Amino acid sequence: MTDHRKLFIPGPTEVLPEVRAELSRPMIGHRFPECAELIGSIIPLVQHMLYTKNMIYLSTSSGTGLMEAAVRNCVRETCLCFVNGAFSKRFMQIAESNGKKTIPVEIDWGKGFSARMVEQALEQHEVDAIALVHNETSTAAMSDIYGIAGVMKKHPEVSFLVDMVSSMAGVKLEIDELGVDVALASGQKALALPPGIAVAAISGRALEKARTVQNRGFYFDFLNVEKNYAKNQTHITPTIPHLYAMKKQMELIIDEGLENRWQRHHQMAERVRAWAGEHFEVFTEEGYRSETLTCITNTRNINISEMNKKLAERGMVLGNGYGQLKDKTFRIAHMGELTLADIEELLGAIDEILGH
Ligand SMILES: *Cc1c(COP(=O)(O)O)cnc(C)c1O
């Protein structure tokens, strides 16, 4: 494929050739022992990556499906929704459209949530769950998940639902220590899988809660997942090609070494932030800047689609701003399998195009 553009967009991300090759294996039955073995081999690797013993749900859906699953299973009545961008807004809309009461806590786009903000909101409102987006991909704001987790420990009766769609597998997230009840992600972001599979770590407390929640539906019912989990099976036909690919990718992630992986993401983030500060401005508030992508204010008013046309000639593509931030900002993803060398190649090309 000569016309492939290397993806510096925040999902889908580059998938390694050996992982892509796994998608073309001959099909097996999802009730065959081979399939249970396959699922059973992936789960401990995911648990290792997430520092957890929680149930791992490999969902045949995109990440949004699991956002819906989180609210359907773990919001009995009212959910406090922390909104600082497009995806956190979506999380709230998903809760509303599933008939849940929502209370928004809104801050400006580009800002992140601190422990204090969550603490104050919980003092003011009686809720049975909170919905938080750890890494708000529309603005590249990463909220203080460890600080917030400290606050949530004082509210064990409140379900802690966290979208980690664009941070999981790019940042160290110790799920058991954090006490997150539903930690969910899409495959096609920092996990570097083709789109079509999503992952969640679901706590025992979340399963207990689900037993008390009405109208969980069928497809995403955590109790259906739990029933089949002990047998390494799924209650629906899963995306078997993705399971093969995921097994390979998880092995590669473990081979790289988790600390190396977190460090690689950190180094790429630092490099892009320094470059952005030199030539533009980082859009996101300091202290909350994401490790997996950078959102850059288009201070020089460059034409982003023209930039992407010129980058395409060099076999690359970056992300425009999201929604209302389109053309006002642009985003460089540094997640998944990208390396510092890839980042240097991209920044070098942009410098050349802009005549820096
Ligand atoms: C990409 C993204 C989503 C949506 O994921 P899909 O896999 O497209 O459903 C949700 N939340 C965040 C933070 C994202 O970056």
Side-chain angles (χ1 to χ4, degrees), residues 10 62-65 67 87 90 133 135-137 163 165-166 186 188-189:
S62 82
T64 305
M67 294 163 87
F87 292 103
R90 183 192 285 186
V133 172
N135 192 52
E136 178 43 86
T137 318
D163 168 331
V165 170
S166 59
S186 307
Q188 77 278 8
K189 308 263 168 114

